[in-house]
Amino acid sequence: MKEVTPPKLGQKLLKWIISEELYDDIDGDLTEVFYNDVSDLSLAAAKRHYLWSVLSSTRNIHLRRKLKFYNPLVMYKNYFKITFRNILKYKGYSFINIFGLALGMASCLLILLFVHNERSFDGFHEKKSNIYRLDEVQTFGAVSAQKVALSMYPMGPNLMADYPQIIDFTRYWTLNRTLLNIDNVSHYLENPVRVDTSFLRIFDFKLIQGDRDKALNESLNILLSESNAERIYGSENPMGKIIDIPDFGAQFTVAGVFEDVPDNSHLQFDALVSTLAWDDEQRKNAWGSNYLNTYLELANNVDIDALESKFNDFLVKFMGEESLDYYELFLQPLNEVHLGSMDITHDYNNHKKFSKASVDIFLILAFFVLLIASINFMNLSTARAATRSREVGVRKSVGAFKGQITGQFVIESIMLALLALVVAIGMCYGAINTLINIIDRDLSMNLFFEPFNLMLVLVTAVLIGSLSGIYPAFVMSRFNPVTALKGNGSTGGRSTFRSVLVVFQFAIAIAIIIGTTIATRQLNFMQNLDLGFDKELVVSIDMYGDTNEKYDVLRSELNNQPSIIGVTGTSQKLGNNLHQTSTTYELDTARVNGSSSFVIVDSNFFDFYKMEIVEGRALSKDFAADGQGRSFIVNESLAKELGADGSDVLGMPFHFGGTDTLGAIVGIVKDFNYNKLNLKVEPLFMSNQPWASWSEINVKIKPGNIQASLEEIEAVWTSLFPQRPFEYEFLDDHIDAMYQSEQQLTQVISILSGLSIIIASLGLFGLASFTVRQRLKEMGIRKVLGASVSQIVMLLSKRFTVLVLIAFIVAAPLTYYLMNDWLEGYTYKITVGVTVFLIVGVGSWLIALLTVSIQSLRAAKSNPVDTLRIE
Amino acid sequence: MKGIHLGEFEELVLLAVATLEDNAYAVSIQSELHERVDRKANISAIHTALYRMEDKGFLESTRGGAEAKRGGKNKRLFRVTTYGYNMLKESKATRESFWNVLPQISTN
């Protein structure tokens, strides 16, 4: 039979509620009532009644509680007072302690701001989880398979028509810089874009004026950004104004003004027009050419894999079976476009594209810097315990419990951490503008003052304070009051735990610094590498339809200027991904189709860029075929693809773009790097076509007075094209800009690595000063017995040297392994030599030594009379 | 006497203790209140009143009478102190002084 007893839980609760003194009596009463109830009522009712009585007993929670021996409030006030007195008493150490932690916190906070900004990209679109970008995997013969962000004009509408899962689509088709004519005044639009009427339904770009449902429905409507509207029309209302665009031979009506596109949108545009103006039959069937982005809005809960698997059928339906040899379609979620597109090329509309891996590196670094700073904090607090032994002794002999002492020091450490947080936020305000300049991101400190984030930051600070305060607090609460009061209660002389922490700190700092050095060297190496063409002192100027008509005049006028060495034209800018086309060439047996990157260039292109011709000849005006577009120069990579060893390629019949009459290959140019150096050189051919329309001209100027040369070019330009404002860019600047994301990364990491060594040294400095202080008496005796200053400095520095050495031994192999792994991703890379390790190792040892010797020197120079006097 | 009050519930409990003589403890007081004045009080409320009044000096207590149905725990038996009796008398006197001057009302 089941034993009838009052509910266990209730009993436990009661014991907890009622004071020890009364517990027996009250428990007895409740039990008696319970058994009375059991006999009078049911067991369940008795139990319920019992529990109710227990709960009501909470009113008696204060009854006969043990008398309190102290008033906690007074004690806490005392803790605060003592904390601040200690901060002020040891100003130097307090400064090191708080400043070090603040430095760590500040860098962590700033990095979190940056990471938050990176992750906020495209987050403001309400339908973001249903929006996908349509991408392709292209595999064209010679060129290895590559993911591209491009798609074809007819894809969007036909996908939507064929698949009910796709509920909307919009294309995003950029225009070049466009000249506007407004009341006979010329303005440029930097970045106008053609989009479908659905664009403003899918994306939530804010409209200030105009109807977002209708504005893009008219083929000759244009929407301007707020700042553009202001620039062009001032305070006038731009709505309904007519804009003449000579390049299109049409007049557009302003039908809306949108808020400037926020910096954290991967799409950036300053004007929108409708694709309707370009939507002719031929274009609607232009399968095979990729020149725009397509975004799809899917219905809720669509199975992406299932949808993607149907895309092959789609391609076959519209482009035939063989299209599968070249194309594959896939969907990229909108939230991955900004951070997940590093492996996608031809990705022209991806503002400030960044790699997720780098964001992760930043997060890891932020964590480690904060860790170093927290370890410092802990180390210094522990070391300082020595100076507080008397206080602990007094507190204990007056009757403090161990727990109270621990509590006191944990609270103190939390207060210091909060103080450091305040300092850190101040530092952030000081540094944020510099950071914004370096990484070119729109960051704001306001983010921290949102309630939730503020709570999070505060909680983290408290956590750091309590975690790093617990160890020193335990050390101090263990002090034996008798020895502590005698004045030598310090146990901090030789703590393995603290040594391990120092080693750990320095290992992290050394690893970060070596890593940064290698990354920086790799970057410099890539930027200074001989690209295979001469990029110095080349000015590139964009060309347009009207300026191309006068290309010959422009070229000869420019060539007449004294400081201009040469002029050439090209259809694509070097320092980019180049477009690809299909090729046709003849082997002994048959005609073969392939594919390659290409550039249409002026005949003097090779001389202009001092490119090395390995075999055959360069293009030249002297050969009629060259000017007629029937001569081709291939690079070594393409030559290898075409012929077995590349030697029998000269004279091979060759053409591109599906032409029937083939020309011939006349020369092989040495591979040159037209794209970023972490990509390998793809097959490429160049030729001059009679129909060529240059996208830019390149002007080589004499070294010396660059300003004067630019003025000469401007004079010629303006005299020929008064309607076109003169604008230019230096080619080497453009090429450097390709590495911008890497540069930002290394710059920020350099700062972090500097900070990490500073923080680590600060910690060492504080630690050394305490060790020295503890051994002052010993040093005094040594001096009396005849030790020299240098002997004493050596003695004190020896231990720290060993610690740094151990740290180095731990950090070096790990870093070597990690950095080699990182360098694998680059085609052109530096070799990781011993030198970096030696320099950083010796460097950090010297820094540590310097830090320590400043302190040891003080001990060594002190007068033994002073140090030995006090007993 | 300023500051020492006898609440209504406290007065009832005090009277119950006086009535129960040698067997006055929380449970018996609870049933006494229930039977005599039909007052259903939770045991914890009685505890509060008892220990408060003990602190004030109206009651004193001894332990005794452990029983199995109490889980082997002793009872806390209460007794009214002289001070407590005085308090009760004073309270009664106060009320009567009002009744004495109250205009006679027919209660039939």
Side-chain angles (χ1 to χ4, degrees), chain A residues 64-127:
Chain A
R64 306 275 170 96
R65 280 274 164 204
K66 213 180 274 166
L67 285 175
K68 300 256 189 315
F69 292 119
Y70 70 99
N71 179 346
L73 209 68
V74 174
M75 229 34 221
Y76 291 138
K77 265 168 78 180
N78 176 269
Y79 293 167
F80 275 98
K81 199 182 277 177
I82 296 294
T83 305
F84 282 105
R85 281 184 184 165
N86 263 299
I87 292 177
L88 294 178
K89 192 173 170 192
Y90 303 101
K91 289 197 186 70
Y93 309 126
S94 310
F95 172 76
I96 290 176
N97 210 355
I98 295 173
F99 182 75
L101 188 60
L103 217 54
M105 284 175 165
S107 34
C108 196
L109 285 177
L110 286 178
I111 289 177
L112 287 180
L113 267 188
F114 167 70
V115 171
H116 177 270
N117 181 268
E118 281 303 308
R119 295 197 169 157
S120 74
F121 263 72
D122 302 317
F124 56 91
H125 303 296
E126 202 190 312
K127 296 175 176 169

Side-chain angles (χ1 to χ4, degrees), chain A residues 53-312:
Chain A
S53 298
V54 170
L55 287 180
S56 331
S57 290
T58 47
R59 74 173 88 187
N60 293 333
I61 202 159
H62 289 297
L63 230 47
R64 306 275 170 96
R65 280 274 164 204
K66 213 180 274 166
L67 285 175
K68 300 256 189 315
F69 292 119
Y70 70 99
N71 179 346
L73 209 68
V74 174
M75 229 34 221
Y76 291 138
K77 265 168 78 180
N78 176 269
Y79 293 167
F80 275 98
K81 199 182 277 177
I82 296 294
T83 305
F84 282 105
R85 281 184 184 165
N86 263 299
I87 292 177
L88 294 178
K89 192 173 170 192
Y90 303 101
K91 289 197 186 70
Y93 309 126
S94 310
F95 172 76
I96 290 176
N97 210 355
I98 295 173
F99 182 75
L101 188 60
L103 217 54
M105 284 175 165
S107 34
C108 196
L109 285 177
L110 286 178
I111 289 177
L112 287 180
L113 267 188
F114 167 70
V115 171
H116 177 270
N117 181 268
E118 281 303 308
R119 295 197 169 157
S120 74
F121 263 72
D122 302 317
F124 56 91
H125 303 296
E126 202 190 312
K127 296 175 176 169
K128 60 188 172 200
S129 52
N130 286 350
I131 302 175
Y132 289 79
R133 185 168 77 172
L134 181 69
D135 296 339
E136 292 176 356
V137 182
Q138 297 183 344
T139 319
F140 292 126
V143 186
S144 47
Q146 55 180 3
K147 291 182 181 173
V148 300
L150 299 174
S151 42
M152 304 171 194
Y153 189 85
M155 277 180 171
N158 284 300
L159 276 170
M160 186 169 137
D162 282 12
Y163 300 100
Q165 298 97 315
I166 299 170
I167 56 178
D168 217 339
F169 78 94
T170 181
R171 288 164 291 204
Y172 186 89
W173 180 16
T174 51
L175 282 161
N176 290 332
R177 228 147 55 91
T178 303
L179 193 72
L180 307 181
N181 222 332
I182 298 160
D183 303 332
N184 294 324
V185 183
S186 302
H187 301 272
Y188 271 121
L189 272 183
E190 280 305 320
N191 203 1
V193 176
R194 288 166 279 200
V195 295
D196 285 290
T197 50
S198 52
F199 185 74
L200 290 171
R201 282 202 301 273
I202 296 178
F203 293 109
D204 292 335
F205 295 103
K206 285 199 191 85
L207 224 55
I208 298 172
Q209 289 197 74
D211 183 340
R212 68 185 304 127
D213 293 323
K214 292 185 191 146
L216 287 164
N217 288 356
E218 297 293 325
S219 68
L220 290 179
N221 274 357
I222 184 165
L223 281 73
L224 296 175
S225 73
E226 194 182 3
S227 57
N228 258 321
E230 233 174 70
R231 181 170 60 96
I232 297 171
Y233 292 105
S235 53
E236 262 182 280
N237 186 357
M239 290 294 284
K241 289 264 170 14
I242 305 293
I243 296 180
D244 184 36
I245 305 185
D247 289 351
F248 307 150
Q251 296 198 320
F252 283 73
T253 312
V254 179
V257 176
F258 53 86
E259 233 173 61
D260 284 356
V261 177
D263 190 56
N264 61 353
S265 161
H266 86 275
L267 295 175
Q268 293 286 327
F269 48 89
D270 58 8
L272 293 175
V273 291
S274 176
T275 47
L276 290 173
W278 286 263
D279 198 36
D280 52 38
E281 277 312 307
Q282 190 201 346
R283 181 154 275 128
K284 279 183 189 165
N285 294 309
W287 293 94
S289 47
N290 297 286
Y291 47 82
L292 48 71
N293 302 113
T294 305
Y295 295 86
L296 303 174
E297 184 194 338
L298 304 188
N300 289 325
N301 306 321
V302 168
D303 182 347
I304 301 301
D305 290 339
L307 183 60
E308 281 178 332
S309 67
K310 293 175 188 158
F311 285 163
N312 277 353

Side-chain angles (χ1 to χ4, degrees), chain A residues 36-47:
Chain A
N36 289 343
D37 283 347
V38 171
S39 51
D40 293 351
L41 314 157
S42 68
L43 178 63
K47 281 189 172 172

Side-chain angles (χ1 to χ4, degrees), chain A residues 709-764:
Chain A
S709 316
L710 287 173
E711 277 162 16
E712 282 174 14
I713 303 174
E714 181 170 9
V716 171
W717 179 269
T718 321
S719 70
L720 286 173
F721 314 113
Q723 78 279 19
R724 296 265 172 197
F726 173 68
E727 274 157 342
Y728 65 93
E729 183 187 29
F730 279 99
L731 185 62
D732 47 356
D733 287 347
H734 174 78
I735 287 173
D736 285 348
M738 286 197 298
Y739 299 99
Q740 199 190 12
S741 132
E742 279 93 341
Q743 262 169 341
Q744 291 165 352
L745 191 75
T746 41
Q747 258 179 310
V748 175
I749 292 180
S750 303
I751 295 173
L752 278 178
S753 64
L755 281 181
S756 67
I757 196 78
I758 288 175
I759 296 173
S761 308
L762 273 182
L764 198 62

Side-chain angles (χ1 to χ4, degrees), chain B residues 8 15-16 23 26 32 34 37-38 40-41 44-45 53 60 67 72-74 81 85-86 89 94 103:
Chain B
E8 185 262 356
L15 284 167
N23 192 34
E32 182 76 8
H34 184 41
V37 291
D38 198 24
K40 282 184 184 172
S44 60
M53 287 196 289
E60 56 190 13
E67 282 175 42
K73 300 282 171 64
N74 277 316
T81 60
Y85 273 116
N86 290 340
K89 282 177 190 157
T94 317

Side-chain angles (χ1 to χ4, degrees), chain A residues 641-792:
Chain A
E641 296 280 348
L642 298 176
D645 53 2
S647 58
D648 46 359
V649 167
L650 282 188
M652 179 186 276
F654 184 94
H655 218 297
F656 70 106
T659 315
D660 278 341
T661 29
L662 301 191
I665 293 172
V666 298
I668 300 175
V669 66
K670 193 172 164 58
D671 274 348
F672 61 95
N673 288 287
Y674 52 84
N675 203 347
K676 278 178 81 166
L677 282 167
N678 44 346
L679 305 165
K680 72 177 208 292
V681 178
E682 300 282 4
L684 168 78
F685 71 84
M686 287 168 284
S687 81
N688 186 2
Q689 295 292 325
W691 45 261
S693 169
W694 312 124
S695 74
E696 62 173 47
I697 56 162
N698 298 153
V699 181
K700 178 104 180 167
I701 58 176
K702 282 188 184 142
N705 197 342
I706 293 175
Q707 199 51 46
S709 316
L710 287 173
E711 277 162 16
E712 282 174 14
I713 303 174
E714 181 170 9
V716 171
W717 179 269
T718 321
S719 70
L720 286 173
F721 314 113
Q723 78 279 19
R724 296 265 172 197
F726 173 68
E727 274 157 342
Y728 65 93
E729 183 187 29
F730 279 99
L731 185 62
D732 47 356
D733 287 347
H734 174 78
I735 287 173
D736 285 348
M738 286 197 298
Y739 299 99
Q740 199 190 12
S741 132
E742 279 93 341
Q743 262 169 341
Q744 291 165 352
L745 191 75
T746 41
Q747 258 179 310
V748 175
I749 292 180
S750 303
I751 295 173
L752 278 178
S753 64
L755 281 181
S756 67
I757 196 78
I758 288 175
I759 296 173
S761 308
L762 273 182
L764 198 62
F765 183 79
L767 207 58
S769 71
F770 276 103
T771 317
V772 166
R773 177 187 288 260
Q774 273 168 5
R775 295 175 72 180
L776 266 184
K777 228 168 256 170
E778 178 197 334
M779 295 308 138
I781 293 169
R782 281 180 193 276
K783 278 193 91 171
V784 170
L785 292 179
S788 72
V789 171
S790 60
Q791 277 172 321
I792 288 178

Side-chain angles (χ1 to χ4, degrees), chain A residues 21-33 35-36 49 52-53 56-57 59-60 63-64, chain B residues 25-27 30 42-45 47-48 50-52 54-55 63 67-71 73-76:
Chain A
E21 187 189 340
L22 298 179
Y23 174 69
D24 272 0
D25 306 345
I26 289 180
D27 179 45
D29 289 342
L30 256 64
T31 315
E32 187 177 338
V33 172
Y35 286 115
N36 289 343
H49 189 206
W52 174 240
S53 298
S56 331
S57 290
R59 74 173 88 187
N60 293 333
L63 230 47
R64 306 275 170 96
Chain B
Y25 70 103
V27 181
Q30 188 187 29
N42 188 288
I43 193 92
S44 60
H47 285 138
T48 315
L50 285 173
Y51 291 107
R52 285 254 171 86
E54 190 178 11
D55 288 346
R63 308 186 80 190
E67 282 175 42
K69 69 169 180 177
R70 292 179 56 85
K73 300 282 171 64
N74 277 316
K75 294 168 183 168
R76 168 112 1 220

